[in-house]
Amino acid sequence: MCDTCGCGQPGDPVTIRKPGQENITHNHDHPHPHSHDHTHESEPSHDHGRTLRVEQDILLKNNLLAERNRGYFEAKKIFALNLVSSPGSGKTTLLERTIATLKQEFPIAVIEGDQQSLRDADRIEKTGVPVVQINTGTGCHLDADMINRAVHELDPKDQSLLFIENVGNLVCPALFELGEAHKIVIISVTEGDDKPQKYPTMFSVADICIINKTDLLPYVDFDLEACKQNASQVNSHLQFFDLSAKTGEGLDQWFEWIRKQVKPS
Amino acid sequence: MHEMSIALNIIDIVSSQARAEQAQKINQIELEIGELAGIMIDSLEFCFEAASKNTLADGASLSIIRIPGKGICHHCHNEIDVDNFITVCPNCGGFGVEITQGKELKIRSINID
Ligand SMILES: Nc1nc2c(ncn2[C@@H]2O[C@H](COP(=O)(O)OP(=O)(O)OP(=O)(O)O)[C@@H](O)[C@H]2O)c(=O)[nH]1
Ligand SMILES: [Mg+2]
Ligand SMILES: [Zn+2]
Ligand SMILES: [Zn+2]
Ligand SMILES: [Zn+2]
């Protein structure tokens, strides 16, 4: 039970704050039932009880909220990208490099998702762009409601580029739409070229696949072409960028792609 | 463990339906879960049991209907079985099968008292 408000929910210590903010408000989401959907049929069952047809998508609530976020982004011409990967593939490093180059060209804002700590938000803050950190506690993914609240805090400028760094996890974030324009899956060459076969759900919902840490290719058994082929088998629409967020190799193509999306000519 | 979020969503939806019908108890929940939906059934059952304590869904059994993955090949237009998202057509070897079935994540019905 939630011991702050006694609402009977399991404790859900989601917090949303900016670097330097320590007051953690009791601000978890309350999926208390308020809807009064009408069931359309009720048929007697010979067993006992009555059977009601429900026919409802389990993630309906998240999907509706994601649509609301999407509408907000469209109205403000905000281009939102959801970055998903295993822990440590280089999401924050890539963001640091990307922001350093592109912040002169258009406004950028960042939502950081981690289970604990402000570390990633602190790193982004040093680049000089607005950032909020979502700490999900035990939660393994961001959801549309957290993004809704974080965007409220962040208040990104019109026509900005909004990066959402999801919790490091290649499984769960695949199911939760946030209202983003694209999901971008990042893998690093130290993770093995069979990642797409092991985590096909994520590769199937992404539009872009970034293969990071190419500077380490000489030291690891990672077959770049085999990896792309494996990923394409799961999702034939995937577009790839190979790069090294450390050396900067391959970053230009990535920047070019972003520029085209943010300012369609 | 997103299965916990899924379980909470299920409990939320079925409780409001059951309450609207003045039900005392939910006996059974019938779910449609696609083979490609990314849900581990064992984990979902475990989370559901834990999260449903002291709700109308406490003690309800989950009746889970698995929906197999299917797709249509863009090249030869045949319907094929899709296992583990590998969308290479076994008929023509073409890439780019569109998944048409198997991602379901739905509550079909509930049985209440
Ligand atoms: N050699 C090499 N190391 C890299 C590269 N990109 C990131 N790293 C290193 O990889 C480690 C993890 O990088 P992060 O950017 O923190 O990764 P992340 O995906 O944000 O990690 P989480 O937020 O914990 O999931 C750090 O030690 C980085 O310096 C790269 O292109 N090459
Ligand atoms: Mg990070
Ligand atoms: Zn509460
Ligand atoms: Zn999970
Ligand atoms: Zn075919």
Side-chain angles (χ1 to χ4, degrees):
Chain A
M1 177 167 106
C2 163
D3 49 23
T4 308
C5 75
C7 57
Q9 305 274 330
D12 177 9
V14 173
T15 59
I16 297 179
R17 50 197 169 134
K18 294 181 174 160
Q21 271 181 353
E22 42 191 306
N23 61 315
I24 298 173
T25 50
H26 172 64
N27 193 19
H28 63 186
D29 66 352
H30 284 189
H32 300 193
H34 295 297
S35 58
H36 297 277
D37 306 351
H38 296 281
T39 41
H40 297 291
E41 280 173 53
S42 79
E43 33 192 70
S45 142
H46 50 266
D47 202 354
H48 65 113
R50 290 179 290 145
T51 299
L52 305 180
R53 294 193 72 75
V54 177
E55 302 291 348
Q56 197 186 113
D57 192 324
I58 295 169
L59 288 176
L60 183 68
K61 186 179 151 201
N62 187 73
N63 292 342
L64 291 174
L65 268 171
E67 280 315 309
R68 198 191 290 174
N69 292 344
R70 186 164 285 131
Y72 173 86
F73 294 147
E74 274 169 13
K76 296 194 61 156
K77 296 196 165 55
I78 292 169
F79 182 60
L81 295 174
N82 178 5
L83 274 61
V84 292
S85 81
S86 309
S89 67
K91 299 180 292 297
T92 310
T93 310
L94 179 64
L95 287 184
E96 289 168 326
R97 296 287 302 238
T98 306
I99 293 165
T101 302
L102 296 181
K103 71 175 181 187
Q104 284 83 14
E105 302 177 31
F106 32 75
I108 302 180
V110 179
I111 297 173
E112 278 291 338
D114 287 291
Q115 291 198 325
Q116 306 287 342
S117 101
L118 274 166
R119 292 181 64 86
D120 280 358
D122 286 341
R123 285 171 61 184
I124 297 298
E125 200 190 24
K126 293 203 179 78
T127 67
V129 303
V131 56
V132 294
Q133 176 82 51
I134 302 175
N135 284 136
T136 58
T138 54
C140 48
H141 57 266
L142 297 176
D143 66 28
D145 180 56
M146 297 175 198
I147 296 305
N148 190 285
R149 284 151 45 195
V151 164
H152 204 79
E153 275 300 305
L154 195 58
D155 195 16
K157 293 204 176 90
D158 286 10
Q159 313 216 320
S160 53
L161 169 61
L162 174 63
F163 286 115
I164 302 168
E165 180 179 334
N166 218 310
V167 179
N169 178 335
L170 264 185
V171 181
C172 316
L175 269 68
F176 295 84
E177 288 288 321
L178 305 179
E180 70 278 64
H182 300 287
K183 287 188 189 64
I184 298 185
V185 60
I186 302 172
I187 50 175
S188 56
V189 303
T190 51
E191 295 172 46
D193 48 35
D194 53 358
K195 269 272 146 80
Q197 285 128 306
K198 291 183 178 164
Y199 300 95
T201 313
M202 188 57 89
F203 286 83
S204 78
V205 296
D207 298 311
I208 307 291
C209 175
I210 290 177
I211 303 177
N212 186 31
K213 309 196 189 179
T214 53
D215 58 294
L216 298 179
L217 276 173
Y219 313 105
V220 292
D221 276 333
F222 184 96
D223 184 335
L224 208 57
E225 287 316 309
C227 180
K228 289 183 188 175
Q229 211 176 24
N230 294 336
S232 298
Q233 289 195 350
V234 170
N235 178 348
S236 57
H237 306 292
L238 266 184
Q239 185 179 347
F240 297 93
F241 294 97
D242 322 332
L243 51 85
S244 165
K246 185 179 175 186
T247 65
E249 183 194 4
L251 282 177
D252 284 345
Q253 286 95 313
W254 160 242
F255 294 158
E256 236 0 86
W257 180 81
I258 294 178
R259 287 189 185 103
K260 281 212 193 83
Q261 307 292 317
V262 177
K263 291 185 182 164
S265 47
Chain B
M1 237 186 7
H2 55 294
E3 282 80 3
M4 183 51 97
S5 314
I6 300 295
L8 289 169
N9 275 285
I10 293 171
I11 293 164
D12 188 11
I13 295 166
V14 299
S15 300
S16 72
Q17 297 255 344
R19 205 164 300 135
E21 295 286 326
Q22 269 102 43
Q24 303 303 307
K25 186 174 181 319
I26 301 171
N27 303 312
Q28 195 186 51
I29 303 168
E30 195 185 18
L31 303 174
E32 271 176 40
I33 299 187
E35 304 267 9
L36 306 177
I39 297 291
M40 307 229 328
I41 301 295
D42 285 355
S43 169
L44 176 63
E45 284 172 338
F46 177 83
C47 291
F48 176 80
E49 203 182 315
S52 61
K53 289 269 169 295
N54 304 316
T55 72
L56 275 176
D58 198 344
S61 64
L62 296 183
S63 154
I64 296 175
I65 300 151
R66 299 308 314 261
I67 315 277
K70 291 217 182 291
I72 300 276
C73 172
H74 285 319
H75 306 275
C76 69
H77 306 288
N78 281 307
E79 182 174 76
I80 62 162
D81 294 337
V82 179
D83 244 13
N84 210 13
F85 284 97
I86 300 303
T87 54
V88 180
C89 176
N91 294 321
C92 70
F95 262 12
V97 170
E98 191 180 314
I99 294 172
T100 50
Q101 177 188 302
K103 295 188 176 179
E104 295 74 7
L105 207 51
K106 211 168 115 179
I107 301 171
R108 194 183 270 189
S109 70
I110 55 176
N111 183 278
I112 55 175
D113 267 332

